[in-house]
Amino acid sequence: MKLYYAPGACSLAVHITAYEAGLPLTIEKVDLATRKTETGADFAALNPKGYVPALKLDDGAVMTEVAALVQLVADKNPSAKLAPANGTMERYRLQEWLAFISSEVHKGFSPLWNPATPEESKQAAKDRLAIRFAYLDKILAAQPFLTGSQFTVADAYLFTVVNWAGYLNIDISGYPNLKAFLDRVSARPKVREALVAEGLLQAAA
Ligand SMILES: N[C@@H](CCC(=O)N[C@@H](CS)C(=O)NCC(=O)O)C(=O)O
């Protein structure tokens, strides 16, 4: 499998999932401004949506959308327990989390990345995110991960997007359980490996 990614973007959730699942993965960086990859390939031709992540499977098929990709990758190695079995209530709960993260948190950040967003709209986006953070903080007060005691793809996705708060100078110290979650996930060896591979963290000497 080959993951087309941009450093620290939502593609990191798929990257973390593949490493946590112990699956072989090659990665190719995409310049989102030019839509060219680091090998000079035309990313827009590969994924007409133009955004990362895109995953090229071993049969050449290209898949997109974080919420679908993390499940596809997790299901390739069920023994890693990154997603409960398909068709179970636990799996639907996981999908409930993935939908929440995608629409309420991931896309909640989007206006903040856009330099053209007026200040007023940025503040409104931050206010909405604060409501989501407060909810997540309550959940994570009672359990280490979103679905309970097991790290899943939902945690990989939540970590990836809430981690953007640091880059955007959004103070999350008012959500100590969410902050502790970020620290807990960022300390995982496979997460660190993905961060190093994307050039976001120095490899330990
Ligand atoms: N619905 C997509 C959204 C992906 C997305 O927002 N990708 C961002 C990076 S996190 C991106 O590539 N933005 C550049 C663009 O849209 O041109 C998904 O969930 O995978």
Side-chain angles (χ1 to χ4, degrees):
M1 291 186 297
K2 184 193 271 189
L3 175 67
Y4 292 87
Y5 78 103
C10 48
S11 38
L12 178 62
V14 185
H15 199 168
I16 290 172
T17 300
Y19 285 9
E20 289 274 354
L23 298 170
L25 182 79
T26 57
I27 58 172
E28 185 155 337
K29 198 187 323 188
V30 177
D31 180 337
L32 290 171
T34 61
R35 304 274 191 265
K36 292 271 179 236
T37 78
E38 61 187 324
T39 63
D42 179 6
F43 181 65
L46 187 112
N47 173 18
K49 290 174 175 168
Y51 53 63
V52 293
L55 189 69
K56 194 186 240 179
L57 306 178
D58 294 343
D59 66 1
V62 175
M63 270 282 294
T64 58
E65 303 302 320
V66 176
L69 289 174
V70 291
Q71 294 184 73
L72 181 154
V73 173
D75 285 346
K76 287 187 181 293
N77 181 9
S79 70
K81 294 190 163 67
L82 295 165
N86 265 300
T88 60
M89 187 59 201
E90 289 78 13
R91 182 60 169 252
Y92 296 126
R93 285 287 178 208
L94 179 82
Q95 290 168 341
E96 182 181 25
W97 275 121
L98 291 172
F100 175 81
I101 298 163
S102 174
S103 57
E104 304 299 331
V105 188
H106 177 177
K107 287 297 141 182
F109 272 100
S110 297
L112 303 174
W113 288 116
N114 184 351
T117 305
E119 220 30 68
E120 219 177 291
S121 307
K122 280 195 177 164
Q123 192 51 53
K126 284 183 190 168
D127 293 347
R128 263 195 308 277
L129 275 176
I131 296 169
R132 307 302 176 232
F133 290 168
Y135 173 70
L136 289 162
D137 194 63
K138 253 196 206 140
I139 298 286
L140 293 166
Q143 55 198 49
F145 300 113
L146 287 176
T147 60
S149 56
Q150 176 68 39
F151 176 87
T152 70
V153 294
D155 301 299
Y157 193 7
L158 183 67
F159 166 79
T160 296
V161 295
V162 176
N163 201 33
W164 295 339
Y167 296 95
L168 292 163
N169 289 322
I170 297 175
D171 181 15
I172 62 159
S173 59
Y175 313 99
N177 304 303
L178 184 58
K179 170 80 178 60
F181 167 84
L182 284 190
D183 294 343
R184 192 154 51 242
V185 175
S186 67
R188 294 175 71 84
K190 295 295 169 186
V191 172
R192 296 182 73 79
E193 238 178 79
L195 291 170
V196 168
E198 295 199 4
L200 301 167
L201 190 70
Q202 289 227 307

